[in-house]
Amino acid sequence: MAWCSPAAAPEGLAHVGVLKELEAARIPIDFVAGTSMGSIIGGLYAAGMTPAELERRILAMNWDSMFADRPPREELSLRRKSDDLRLSIPLELGMRDGQLRAPRAAVGSTGLENMLKGLTEGMPNSVAFDQLPIPFRAVATDLVTGEAVVFDRGELSAVMRASMSVPAAFAPVEIGGRMLVDGGLVDNLPIDVVRKMGADIVIAVNIGSPLLARDELGSIFGIGVQMLNILTEQNVRMSIATLKATDVLIVPDLSKVTSTDFKLGPVAMNRGAEATRGVLPLLSNYALSPSDYLNQWVAQRSVVSPSRIDEIRVEGGTYSSADTIRAQLSVLTTQPFNRRDVERDLAWLVGRGDFERLDYRIITERDRNVLLVNVQEKSWGPNYFRFGLNLGTDFRGVGEFNFVANHTRRWLNALGAEWRNELQIGRSQRISTELYQPLLPTETLFASFGAEQRRRVAEISIPLPDGSVSRPIAQFMGIDTRVSLDLGAAFGRYGEFRVGPLYERVSISPRIADLALGGVRANESGMQASVVIDQRDSATFARSGYRVEASVHRALTAFGANDNFARYQWSSEYAKTFGANTIDVALKFGGLYSKAPSVYPYFELGGFLQLSGLRPGELRSDQFALARLMSFRKIGDMPAFGRGIYVGGSLEAGRTDSPNNNISPERTVYAASLVLGLDTSIGPFYLGYGHATGSRRSAYLFLGRP
C-alpha cells in the first residue's frame, strides 16, 4: 500500500493529521512519494519519524523566522544592522559582470534548510531512499527543461528542500547540475510515482489549492498565486483520473487555512485527521493486528547517531574566501558534531549579506568525517545597491525629504574587505566613502578609512518672553567635512569599538540672518573613540533588545584644531514585549566642554518622538538630554505587504543649554504623542500627533525612520 501527497503550505501540515489516523488504525504504508510540503512530511515519515513526533516538532517551530528573508536582526553583523538604520527600503539590487541584477527569491532559505537539517539529523549525507524504513520518492521540477525530476537517492534534507522551492519565493536549488524548483508545477499529486515503485493500492491525499475567485485577483500577489494554482490544479486532475476503484482519495476541507499563516497548522492537522477518519472503513481490511503492526512495521524505524568531525571543507565560492569562512566556524575537529553550533555559525555568515545559501553536510572519506560547507554566493553580487527614503510633514509647512543611495563592494580581498559609498540628497545632503579592512580571518580586528561631507540647513530659535514657544531668528547652512582613520575591534554579532585620528572642518554661513551674524570656519581635528552595541530585533518597531551608541571627540590644537575641547554623545534604547504590548525606553544626552564659546550649537531637539509638538530641530544647544518612554501594541498583520500594524504613544522630556553663549538658554520641555504605525515592505509608516509644553501641537506623517 502506498501513500502520496502533494504541495501547499501550511495546508500541507494536514498530512500529519492523515498519518496520525492511519497509524492509529494500524494501516501499514509500504511506499511514500511526495511533492513540496508533502515531500517534507512524507520524507520524515519514511525516514522513521512518527506522526506524534512530527506534530510535536512542527508545532514548536518558529515559522516567522523559518521563512524570513534573512536571519534575525540580532544575528546580523553590525555593518548590516547599521544599514537598516539608514536604508529603509529592503530591496537590494546588485551588479555582476557589468549587468544590473535582482535577487532570485523573495525569501531566504537558511532558516528552512536548518529546520530540515535538524529534522533529518543523523541521516547519512547520501542514501538510497529504498533503504529508508519506508521506500521514498520526492518530486521536483527542472526549471530549465520543465521536466519532472524524481529523486530516489541523495541527501534527504537537500532533496526535500528542492521539492518545495516555490518559484520566486525561494531560490532554486542546484543538485547534480540541475536547477530545481517546486515539483507541484509538473506533478503535484505523484500517483504515477508510487505506482512505479510497486504499489497496488494508493492512498492519495489531495490538498491542492483551489482557484481563487474573481474578486481575489485584484493584486499582483493574487494573480501570481492564481498562476501557480492553475498549473498545479491541472496536473492534479490528471493524476486523480488515474485512480482505481481500490484506491482511496482523501480530500481535507482546508477552506479556512490560508496559504501564508502557519499559525493555522493545528487546524490543518485536525482537518486532515477528520478527512481520514471518514475513509477508514474503506481501509479496514488492510489493518494489521496490534502485535503485527508493532513487530513488523514500527520496530524497523531507526535513526543514525551523529558523529564527530575530522575535517572542515568549504566549497562553491568564487569571490569569497574559504579560509575566512572556515575561521568563523566554531565547530572543532575531533569533537562530536553539534548541529546547533554549525547552524548558529552559518546564520552569522549569512548575516554578512554575501550569500544566497549556506548549506552543510557530513561526508565520509576513508573513515574520516568531513563537514562540507557549500557556499552559494548571491548571484547579484558582489556589488550591491540599497536605498533609503524619508518623507514627512508636520502639516504646518515644514516638510522632510531625504533620499539615500548606497553602493557596497564586498570581498575586495581574501580577508573580506569592503568599500562602501553613500549619497544622500534632500533636506540633509551627504556624500561619504569608507574602506573597511578586516585584519584577521576571524574579523575581530579591523581598520577603516573614511571621508564624508555633510550639508544641512538649520534654524536657530529663541524663546518668546513667556518661554512658551520659540521664534526663528536665523537660518544657516552648515558644512561638515571629515576624514578619519580608525582601528577597531568587532564583538561578533554584538557591536564594535573604534578609535583613531579625525580631521574635521566646519563651515557655517548664514542664509537668512541678522547682518551682524557672519560666517564661521573652524578646524576641529583631533582624536575620536566610539562604541556601538546593537541587539534590537528591528530597526523600526523593535519588540525586544537594546542598542547603545557612545562617542567622544577630543579636538586638539596639536592636530590643527582652533581650540582644545571635548564633545561627547550617548544614545541608548531598550525594548521589551509583554504579549502584544511593547515598552520602549530611550535615553539620549550629549555635551560640549570648552572654555571658549562654541562656533555653532551642535545638538538639536524637536520633531516627532524627539519632543513631539515642536518643529524638527527647533531647539539647538551645546548640551542636551532626552528621555522617552514609548508604548505600542500590535493590532494586526500585513500578509505579503509588511510585518505589522501598531498603535501607541509616548511621554518625552528634554533639556537644552548652551552655557558659553546666549543662543540657547537653559530650558526644559515636556511632550507626549499618539502614534499609528505600519511596518510596511517599503519601510515604516507613521501617522502621529504631538503636544509639548506651551501648548505646542503638531500632526506628523512619515514614511521612513523619523
Side-chain angles (χ1 to χ4, degrees), residues 61-341:
M61 290 176 183
N62 183 343
W63 292 101
D64 290 338
S65 63
M66 200 78 61
F67 297 111
D69 55 357
R70 65 179 187 180
R73 186 174 183 272
E74 308 94 287
E75 301 295 324
L76 302 180
S77 68
L78 181 66
R79 295 182 68 76
R80 304 291 84 83
K81 292 174 184 173
S82 299
D83 289 343
D84 288 346
L85 300 177
R86 307 180 318 279
L87 309 172
S88 58
I89 301 175
L91 174 65
E92 179 183 75
L93 301 177
M95 181 169 288
R96 194 168 191 171
D97 300 327
Q99 294 182 338
L100 190 65
R101 301 186 181 188
R104 299 190 298 177
V107 178
S109 60
T110 300
L112 173 62
E113 289 167 358
N114 287 341
M115 175 199 76
L116 297 176
K117 291 288 186 183
L119 293 174
T120 59
E121 184 175 18
M123 292 292 299
N125 64 282
S126 183
V127 62
F129 295 160
D130 284 340
Q131 303 304 312
L132 296 175
I134 306 174
F136 170 67
R137 300 290 185 271
V139 181
T141 302
D142 188 316
L143 189 59
V144 176
T145 66
E147 299 173 344
V149 179
V150 180
F151 285 96
D152 62 0
R153 64 181 61 246
E155 184 185 5
L156 185 59
S157 62
V159 167
M160 294 189 297
R161 163 71 176 85
S163 180
M164 74 161 298
S165 296
V166 179
F170 294 105
V173 176
E174 293 190 22
I175 298 179
R178 291 189 175 214
M179 186 177 293
L180 303 169
V181 295
D182 197 311
L185 298 177
V186 290
D187 196 354
N188 200 40
L189 188 59
I191 295 173
D192 58 327
V193 175
V194 289
R195 293 227 193 268
K196 292 177 181 177
M197 295 173 71
D200 52 355
I201 298 171
V202 175
I203 302 175
V205 185
N206 179 24
I207 58 167
S209 302
L211 299 181
L212 300 178
R214 183 185 182 91
D215 59 359
E216 298 177 289
L217 302 178
S219 67
I220 295 176
F221 177 76
I223 293 173
V225 170
Q226 187 79 324
M227 291 173 62
L228 290 176
N229 288 347
I230 290 172
L231 289 172
T232 56
E233 192 64 20
Q234 287 178 344
N235 66 64
V236 164
R237 291 174 182 174
M238 295 174 61
S239 295
I240 292 176
T242 67
L243 291 173
K244 300 182 297 185
T246 54
D247 297 327
V248 175
L249 176 64
I250 300 175
V251 185
D253 178 10
L254 300 172
S255 57
K256 296 184 179 180
V257 180
T258 64
S259 59
T260 58
D261 193 352
F262 276 88
K263 296 177 183 178
L264 297 177
V267 176
M269 293 180 192
N270 291 334
R271 294 292 185 267
E274 292 171 2
T276 305
R277 287 193 291 269
V279 301
L280 286 181
L282 302 176
L283 299 168
S284 58
N285 292 335
Y286 307 108
L288 298 178
S289 66
S291 60
D292 288 343
Y293 189 79
L294 179 65
N295 297 329
Q296 298 178 20
W297 199 73
V298 175
Q300 67 184 345
R301 302 180 184 183
S302 62
V303 178
V304 183
S305 300
S307 55
R308 71 177 190 178
I309 302 301
D310 298 300
E311 180 187 348
I312 301 173
R313 191 180 303 163
V314 179
E315 296 181 348
T318 56
Y319 53 80
S320 57
S321 167
D323 290 338
T324 298
I325 294 172
R326 190 183 298 107
Q328 298 187 44
L329 297 175
S330 61
V331 62
L332 301 175
T333 57
T334 73
Q335 298 297 316
F337 172 68
N338 188 319
R339 175 180 58 84
R340 291 177 179 83
D341 287 345

Side-chain angles (χ1 to χ4, degrees), residues 575-621:
K576 188 173 180 60
T577 295
F578 307 89
N581 301 302
T582 300
I583 300 295
D584 197 340
V585 181
L587 177 63
K588 303 179 181 182
F589 57 86
L592 174 72
Y593 286 96
S594 174
K595 295 181 180 179
S598 61
V599 298
Y600 185 70
Y602 287 90
F603 305 107
E604 65 177 35
L605 283 177
F608 183 51
L609 301 181
Q610 309 294 320
L611 292 182
S612 303
L614 274 61
R615 297 191 313 275
E618 181 171 330
L619 305 183
R620 304 192 67 87
S621 63

